[in-house]
Amino acid sequence: MTKNSHDFLEINSKKREKYMKKLILFMVAIWNAIVFAQNLSPETAVELTMEKNLSERIEKMLEPLVGKTIVSVNLELKYPTGNMKFYGTELNLAESLPGIPVSKSAAAIPAGDEGALENQIRIISQKVSIHLNKRTGKKKIAFIKENLPKWIHLDPTRGDELTLEKDLSYTNSKLIVYAVIIFFMLLFLINFRAGIRFLAVSLRNINIKGFDKALHIKGGIGGSGGGGIANANLQFSQEKPLPVEIVQKEEEDAKDKKLNFHFVENLSLSNFSKLIAGESNEDIAFLIANLSPEYVQKYITQYPLDSKIVIRSMLNVMQRSKAEIEELRDRLYEKYESLFEEERYTFDGKKALIKIINSLPSKNSEELYREIHSLNPRMAENIRINIFLIEDILKLDNDVIKAIIKSIHHNLLVTFLASTEDKIREKFMINLTKRAALILEEDIELLGNLSQDEKEKAIDEMLATIRMILKYI
């Protein structure tokens, strides 16, 4: 055998010895754990259970104050001595055989000579160690030191100890979740912003004019030639990959206006009839075909005989060149300008006066109505039914008054009744319950004397409110 082979065998033997030692120690540890578990005395079990229960109770008491804690308890117990009284039975699994069950006592309690319970388990001393979060404040620690001994009956004279240590580091799970959400939101915003920048650079590289104005392309869409951009001109250059420039053509817009006949709709039907006088039926038919249906309907309704001739011409196929259309428009536009100068506008003066009166304050609306009555009594009588003055409150039905009371604010009603005349106040009072009327009278008395401006303001506000409720305005 060579020297190298001898060294190799020696190394392998040392490794085997090392592994065997570890295996023996591991087996010994397992054996001790098994023996300890089997030989666990009832006293030890009772002690461990009491320590566990006490530590869990302390942790629950402290959790609302300082959060999660770790509590370790070491109890020194005094067990009962003397006679034991056994009671109850249970199956002894360790000594039972198949088909031959063996029973044992379920429990035992100490008993005196007369059978009374005595010599129960007593706590000789208890040592409590509490591990707190590192962030726990001094005030909370002082509070625990002061009150916990009272809660669990710690007595330093018998050797009880309480130890507080700040050595835990808990992290709030909610804060972690919020931090993760914020992180991903920031990541999304960064990526989104980078994408927008990339898009902007790409669009600038192809030279699209107007990108700074949110890519808004001016000009009409569609046209007589089918689809496409009718009012834009695309110019191509070979300097860069297909740079495109969009230019609006205002000249074409001006040309399209020369083919538009909608200006004639500004004329009344009588002046429209004058406008088309002397024109051929074919030209009139072409003109009407280019007007709005509403305007044509009015014309046909007012001039049924003339329209029949025009309708016959419209049944035929109408063809006009662009030059002919422009010539017809120019000729009609010259006549239109002269007729438009003579156009007379009418308005309904009665409706305007009704609207003005119903929008004025109480005093001004009465003065304006009296002025109208003095100038034109008949007209004043005609518009009287459509206006509402403060005195008209007395003419309202009781049901309407009740509805008004329910619709307005209490403070406005109090101020108004304190400002208005007695007849109107009585009109409201009789439509209230006795209790509501008493409360209202008390509030009016507490309001005291009002200035003239305050009274007028309350009356005007109430009048405007009633007008809106009754839909006069």
Side-chain angles (χ1 to χ4, degrees), residues 235-277:
Q235 298 179 356
F236 296 92
S237 173
Q238 300 300 326
E239 295 180 359
K240 291 184 179 180
L242 293 180
V244 179
E245 185 177 4
I246 299 176
V247 181
Q248 185 177 357
K249 297 180 65 178
E250 297 180 356
E251 296 81 1
E252 292 187 5
D253 291 341
K255 291 181 180 179
D256 289 342
K257 290 181 180 180
K258 293 184 178 181
L259 306 178
N260 192 329
F261 291 88
H262 289 291
F263 61 90
V264 301
E265 296 182 11
N266 296 324
L267 297 174
S268 62
L269 293 177
S270 59
N271 281 334
F272 176 76
S273 180
K274 295 179 183 179
L275 178 72
I276 61 178

Side-chain angles (χ1 to χ4, degrees), residues 110-140:
D113 296 336
E114 300 179 356
L117 295 176
E118 62 180 15
N119 299 325
Q120 296 182 0
I121 298 174
R122 292 189 298 113
I123 298 175
I124 301 302
S125 65
Q126 49 184 340
K127 297 180 180 179
V128 180
S129 178
I130 302 176
H131 300 269
L132 304 169
N133 194 329
K134 292 181 180 180
R135 298 181 180 180
T136 306
K138 295 181 179 179
K139 292 183 179 180
K140 293 182 178 180

Side-chain angles (χ1 to χ4, degrees), residues 360-367 389-390 459-460 463 467:
L360 290 174
S362 175
K363 186 176 180 180
N364 300 111
S365 60
E366 291 178 357
E367 293 176 353
L389 303 176
I390 194 67
I459 292 172
D460 294 340
L463 179 61
R467 284 170 174 170

Side-chain angles (χ1 to χ4, degrees), residues 44 140 146 152 299 345 383-384 390:
T44 304
K140 293 182 178 180
E146 180 182 356
I152 61 175
Y299 171 73
Y345 295 95
I383 67 173
R384 184 64 180 88
I390 194 67

Side-chain angles (χ1 to χ4, degrees), residues 458-471:
I459 292 172
D460 294 340
E461 187 174 354
M462 175 61 80
L463 179 61
T465 303
I466 295 176
R467 284 170 174 170
M468 285 190 292
I469 293 173
L470 301 181
K471 297 182 179 180

Side-chain angles (χ1 to χ4, degrees), residues 9 11 24 94 114 127-128 136 164 167 198-199 211 215 217 248 262 272 284 301 309-310 353 386 398-399 445 454:
L9 294 175
I11 292 171
I24 291 170
E114 300 179 356
K127 297 180 180 179
V128 180
T136 306
L164 301 178
D167 53 3
F198 178 76
L199 178 63
F211 176 75
L215 301 177
I217 301 175
Q248 185 177 357
H262 289 291
F272 176 76
I284 297 173
T301 303
I309 301 173
V310 175
L353 287 173
N386 295 316
N398 291 335
D399 293 337
E445 291 179 1
E454 291 175 336

